[in-house]
Amino acid sequence: MKASSYLIPTTKDDPQDAVVASHRLMLRAGLIRKSASGLYSYLPLGLRILKKIEAIVRDEMDASGALEFQLPILTPSEIWKESGRWDKMGKEMFRIKDRHDVENCLGPTHEESFCVLVKPMVRSYKDLPINVYQIHTKFRDEIRPRFGVIRSREFTMKDAYSFHLDDVSLDETYQKMRTTYRRIFTRLGLSTIPVQADSGNMGGSASEEFMVVSPIGEETLTICSSCDYSGNIEKTPVVPPNDPKANTGSSEEVVDTPGKKSIQDVAAFLNVEESYVLKAVAMWYDGKYVLVFLPGDRELNENKLKNHLVANEMRPMGDAELSKFGLIPGFIGPGMPMHEDLLVLVDAVVDWNAKYVTGANAFDKHKKGVSLKDHFDSSKIQTLDLAQARAGDLCPNCNAVLKAEKGIEVGHIFKLGQKYTKAFEISVLNDKGKATTTTMGCYGIGVNRCMATVIEQCNDDKGIYWPISIAPFEICLVSIAKSAEDNARIGAVYEQLRSAKYDVLWDDRDLGPGFKFKDSELIGFPIRLTMGKGFLEKNEITILNRKTMEEKNIVFTDISDLTKEIDSIRTELSQTLLP
């Protein structure tokens, strides 16, 4: 491909609304252009990269035995209502009505659609297992799209769904997908960590996210350096300490705390640690109410609470709701009025035998020396892991200290179980001729997000350095010549490279060498060949490895001289991408 007939709209300055490297460089390198909030157009160079990522994903999925489909993006509301997710998906689902006033949505995911499609095709255990997938457009009505294509409203995803006779078969495919994902991400040049994760709206018994450690990540990972444990902070269990320290006195004492509502204010006013103050969190969920007690230095993990309550929606109680139960915000504590419509839960980190500072259920007053066992019947109040994990907590596997890292999610695998197959009544006859409800798995990869995440890992002060497997072109040939005769000599080498099936872009534009060099380094072509005065006078070609910025001059006598050096660099760059 000649650059003079290509579109390479690079820019020198950083876009004002781009705050992360991937967003900034994708715009500057002419890979994408913003259409509207959370919507992006892919330009020729960007689309080549996207298609190469898709090809790697497709290659590995096909090798795993999965079968590719393509389903409609527009999906009818009735299948979502049948699964129970029409309301549960919330405002992030794009809902639309057609001219017949029929409700539909733009699919954010396709469990329901694949279930309806596959159901009549599988009748016997002999038809299973089957793993079906597509690489297609998805939609999510993000309230705040950010970081370019990392969190956008329209995106490309590889989503796969497996159907099985039993859990043993499901686990076999789940493990195969786990291995397949590691191969995919390695070939893309991504260093990933599989972490235990919350299944969220997807449901199911188990799930893992494939995370790339990055300071811009929106997820927090808990990682143990002593064993192989890694988890999403929203899933990580909090291990109660072996030596609880809360002890604020031998007997209960009401103290005045004027204007002190927050944990920080109360702890500072009474000169105690925040962990010695008991926090009360009052929540509404699906028309019901719950009050959770946890240590003051801990945050409530709403995902854990929602999963326990099997709740769709959750929010803090409003003033009227608090008043209904006789709860005084900022001063709630054990001994508050008990109500049959108010569920009380206690976090597992709280020590029932220890003494805490708590709200005194009176305005501007707290109590010291409060023990839960003096106010609640432990046989009637559930104690659960409801707190958010954090750095410094104990590893749930080996009790070593956990560290925390930010991460970008690029893939997610789920054991869905029978959540959807029961909803859609998908059953097959087993080897005894008995109808058996199938079980499912689900496996997703964010294709656009992978592209941006690679840039987050592979950039420097000059621009991007693409892994050779997904670079827009493997080689950029920069020519520095003025006469038609000189251009013809360089063009002959270019044609020889094309004939040898090299993926090469010839920058033959009528621009200065400095501009061409900066463009090639910004866009990130893995190998750059420079052919100018040295080539025209002495047959010298300069070869640059973009990743290391190392240059080498060779004397060109035959195309094999050049291809030998190119192949050496290609091999070197490819070695790190082998699964």
Side-chain angles (χ1 to χ4, degrees):
M1 178 62 68
K2 293 182 180 180
S4 58
S5 57
Y6 207 70
L7 182 66
I8 308 178
T10 56
T11 60
K12 181 179 180 181
D13 298 322
D14 289 336
Q16 290 184 352
D17 62 343
V19 297
V20 299
S22 57
H23 190 193
R24 183 176 71 251
L25 291 171
M26 289 177 82
L27 289 167
R28 284 193 56 206
L31 309 182
I32 62 171
R33 284 294 181 267
K34 183 176 180 179
S35 172
S37 177
L39 301 176
Y40 291 89
S41 299
Y42 282 81
L43 308 189
L45 284 173
L47 190 59
R48 282 180 67 90
I49 298 163
L50 202 64
K51 293 301 181 184
K52 287 187 176 185
I53 294 173
E54 289 181 8
I56 289 173
V57 172
R58 182 174 286 110
D59 182 50
E60 291 293 344
M61 289 299 294
D62 290 348
S64 76
L67 304 173
E68 186 172 9
F69 288 62
Q70 182 167 298
L71 278 62
I73 294 170
L74 189 67
T75 61
S77 64
E78 55 260 30
I79 64 175
W80 293 88
K81 292 174 180 176
E82 194 170 349
S83 71
R85 290 207 298 173
W86 181 252
D87 296 319
K88 190 170 185 177
M89 290 298 289
K91 294 182 179 180
E92 288 188 355
M93 178 187 278
F94 277 101
R95 294 171 170 83
I96 57 177
K97 289 185 178 181
D98 62 20
R99 66 179 64 193
H100 304 293
D101 209 32
V102 175
E103 288 184 312
N104 299 276
C105 76
L106 300 177
T109 182
H110 276 67
E111 284 80 6
E112 286 80 359
S113 296
F114 266 107
C115 281
V116 171
L117 179 63
V118 169
K119 179 179 178 178
M121 300 181 188
V122 292
R123 297 293 186 184
S124 163
Y125 72 97
K126 295 179 181 179
D127 299 325
L128 302 177
I130 185 173
N131 191 5
V132 297
Y133 81 96
Q134 63 176 349
I135 301 175
H136 213 354
T137 306
K138 298 285 192 290
F139 294 87
R140 184 172 52 213
D141 192 5
E142 293 283 357
I143 188 171
R144 283 183 296 274
R146 59 198 299 241
F147 297 164
V149 302
I150 287 182
R151 182 164 291 280
S152 56
R153 296 196 294 164
E154 177 182 311
F155 52 97
T156 303
M157 176 178 283
K158 187 285 298 178
D159 51 325
Y161 309 89
S162 62
F163 296 80
H164 308 267
L165 183 66
D166 53 35
D167 289 341
V168 173
S169 174
L170 169 59
D171 188 63
E172 289 174 355
T173 297
Y174 185 88
Q175 296 303 328
K176 182 180 288 186
M177 284 295 97
R178 198 173 189 270
T179 301
T180 297
Y181 272 37
R182 295 306 293 267
R183 291 178 62 87
I184 289 170
F185 295 130
T186 298
R187 288 181 62 183
L188 296 181
L190 285 171
S191 176
T192 58
I193 302 173
V195 303
Q196 295 181 28
D198 181 68
S199 297
N201 286 333
M202 305 296 288
S205 60
S207 74
E208 283 180 282
E209 293 168 328
F210 289 78
M211 292 287 192
V212 175
V213 172
S214 169
I216 73 157
E218 296 185 297
E219 305 287 344
T220 302
L221 322 180
T222 50
I223 300 171
C224 180
S225 56
S226 297
C227 71
D228 60 356
Y229 179 82
S230 56
N232 187 307
I233 198 169
E234 303 209 333
K235 175 72 173 179
T236 303
V238 176
V239 179
N242 295 321
D243 54 341
K245 299 177 181 178
N247 192 345
T248 61
S250 57
S251 60
E252 289 190 7
E253 175 189 357
V254 177
V255 293
D256 291 326
T257 51
K260 310 302 180 187
K261 289 186 177 182
S262 72
I263 296 296
Q264 295 81 0
D265 288 346
V266 172
F269 184 74
L270 298 178
N271 195 28
V272 296
E273 293 183 19
E274 291 179 15
S275 60
Y276 293 1
V277 183
L278 207 59
K279 178 185 294 185
V281 182
M283 305 293 290
W284 171 97
Y285 69 99
D286 298 345
K288 302 175 184 178
Y289 302 93
V290 61
L291 182 67
V292 180
F293 287 102
L294 66 163
D297 64 335
R298 290 283 180 178
E299 295 299 324
L300 174 67
N301 184 322
E302 290 190 18
N303 281 317
K304 291 180 180 179
L305 182 58
K306 285 178 74 173
N307 289 339
H308 170 70
L309 299 173
V310 195
N312 292 328
E313 294 185 66
M314 181 173 287
R315 59 165 173 77
M317 283 193 208
D319 290 342
E321 292 163 323
L322 290 166
S323 179
K324 171 184 174 180
F325 294 107
L327 302 176
I328 302 173
F331 303 98
I332 303 169
M336 77 290 177
M338 297 298 288
H339 197 290
E340 62 180 7
D341 291 334
L342 180 64
L343 175 65
V344 178
L345 301 173
V346 176
D347 179 60
V349 176
V350 175
D351 182 357
W352 282 66
N353 295 310
K355 296 180 182 295
Y356 293 89
V357 171
T358 72
N361 301 302
F363 188 72
D364 277 354
K365 294 184 183 297
H366 279 79
K367 278 186 180 181
K368 297 169 66 176
V370 177
S371 177
L372 286 189
K373 67 179 181 179
D374 296 331
H375 293 271
F376 296 131
D377 183 346
S378 60
S379 65
K380 296 180 180 179
I381 301 293
Q382 283 186 285
T383 298
L384 303 164
D385 173 25
L386 298 173
Q388 186 92 302
R390 63 190 182 194
D393 281 348
L394 301 181
C395 172
N397 280 356
C398 70
N399 270 17
V401 175
L402 293 172
K403 65 177 183 178
E405 297 277 6
K406 292 291 185 181
I408 302 171
E409 178 192 340
V410 290
H412 206 154
I413 59 177
F414 302 82
K415 287 184 179 179
L416 295 176
Q418 296 181 334
K419 173 182 172 68
Y420 298 95
T421 55
K422 281 184 176 179
F424 291 96
E425 298 180 345
I426 304 176
S427 64
V428 298
L429 297 179
N430 64 16
D431 58 354
K432 302 293 192 299
K434 183 179 178 181
T436 303
T437 301
T438 57
T439 188
M440 280 182 70
C442 170
Y443 321 94
I445 290 177
V447 177
N448 322 63
R449 183 174 285 194
C450 284
M451 180 177 173
T453 305
V454 168
I455 298 175
E456 291 295 331
Q457 284 195 338
C458 302
N459 74 86
D460 56 22
D461 59 350
K462 294 178 174 58
I464 308 165
Y465 49 91
W466 287 106
I468 197 165
S469 58
I470 59 173
F473 291 91
E474 291 184 356
I475 303 166
C476 178
L477 169 58
V478 174
S479 60
I480 306 171
K482 294 182 179 180
S483 69
E485 181 182 354
D486 290 344
N487 271 311
R489 283 186 60 190
I490 295 172
V493 177
Y494 164 69
E495 291 298 339
Q496 287 179 291
L497 289 171
R498 288 188 65 208
S499 297
K501 305 302 180 184
Y502 285 95
D503 185 27
V504 56
L505 174 75
W506 177 17
D507 194 346
D508 62 335
R509 294 176 295 174
D510 186 18
L511 297 169
F515 193 97
K516 292 182 180 182
F517 291 155
K518 287 182 179 179
D519 262 9
S520 73
E521 292 162 7
L522 170 63
I523 296 167
F525 305 109
I527 301 170
R528 185 176 75 205
L529 309 178
T530 303
M531 301 174 68
K533 183 177 180 181
F535 173 73
L536 298 170
E537 295 181 356
K538 299 179 291 186
N539 282 333
E540 284 187 354
I541 298 176
T542 302
I543 303 177
L544 172 76
N545 180 330
R546 171 64 183 90
K547 183 177 181 180
T548 63
M549 293 304 291
E550 294 175 351
E551 283 189 337
K552 181 177 183 180
N553 292 326
I554 67 164
V555 176
F556 178 84
T557 57
D558 184 80
I559 190 65
S560 61
D561 300 326
L562 182 56
T563 58
K564 179 181 177 181
E565 295 296 334
I566 291 174
D567 288 345
S568 175
I569 297 175
R570 289 176 76 194
T571 299
E572 178 187 339
L573 293 174
S574 297
Q575 287 297 324
T576 59
L577 306 176
L578 294 176

